[in-house]
């Protein structure tokens, strides 16, 4: 059985960017009350550095794009920006509601 959606690749118009993967948003606990927000899974079609620049300006936090050994390129933002990221991605149309996966990590980094 071959439907157009199954035969579509990432660059085709039939398969919109970002719909094949989930966008994982994680909160990582640092020392004390400090936290990091990690965003993984944004399609390569979108410039991650431009997204970080928009996040930093809109949420008044610092952030960067880093290469994670297991997860690939991820966006790291200071503080708990989970709700802000979700609203931003949904408002701009970069993600749908069923694509967002929220996770809470309690890893202490000293």
């Amino acid at each position: 059985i071959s439907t157009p959606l199954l035969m579509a690749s990432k660059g085709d118009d039939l398969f919109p960017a970002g719909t094949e993967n989930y966008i994982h948003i994680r909160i990582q606990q640092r020392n004390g009350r400090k936290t990091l927000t990690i965003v993984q899974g944004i399609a390569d079609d979108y410039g991650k550095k431009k997204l970080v620049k928009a996040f930093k300006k809109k949420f008044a936090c610092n952030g960067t794009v880093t290469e994670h050994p297991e997860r690939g390129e991820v966006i790291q933002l200071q503080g708990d920006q989970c709700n802000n990221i979700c609203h931003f991605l949904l408002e701009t149309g970069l993600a749908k509601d069923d694509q967002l996966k929220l996770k809470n990590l309690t890893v202490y980094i000293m």
Side-chain angles (χ1 to χ4, degrees):
I1 300 172
S2 62
T3 62
L5 201 58
L6 293 176
M7 295 174 17
S9 66
K10 191 172 185 177
D12 291 344
D13 292 334
L14 299 171
F15 209 73
T19 56
E20 70 271 27
N21 292 329
Y22 291 108
I23 296 177
H24 297 275
I25 302 171
R26 295 177 172 88
I27 306 297
Q28 182 174 342
Q29 185 72 37
R30 292 181 49 225
N31 51 348
R33 294 171 44 189
K34 310 276 185 186
T35 58
L36 276 179
T37 302
I38 300 169
V39 183
Q40 168 202 354
I42 294 179
D44 293 334
D45 301 344
Y46 306 110
K48 289 185 180 75
K49 291 191 180 196
K50 288 186 179 183
L51 278 174
V52 168
K53 188 174 180 180
F55 291 156
K56 288 167 62 172
K57 187 172 184 177
K58 187 163 177 106
F59 309 143
C61 66
N62 201 4
T64 186
V65 177
T66 60
E67 185 68 33
H68 193 274
E70 297 170 1
R71 300 181 188 134
E73 268 192 340
V74 297
I75 296 174
Q76 287 184 346
L77 298 171
Q78 283 183 344
D80 185 355
Q81 305 296 336
C82 186
N83 291 331
N84 294 334
I85 297 282
C86 289
H87 291 303
F88 184 89
L89 293 175
L90 293 174
E91 284 175 5
T92 57
L94 293 176
K96 296 178 185 147
D97 193 30
D98 58 346
Q99 286 180 285
L100 299 176
K101 297 284 184 182
L102 305 176
K103 297 182 180 183
N104 189 2
L105 298 178
T106 54
V107 177
Y108 295 97
I109 302 173
M110 301 273 181

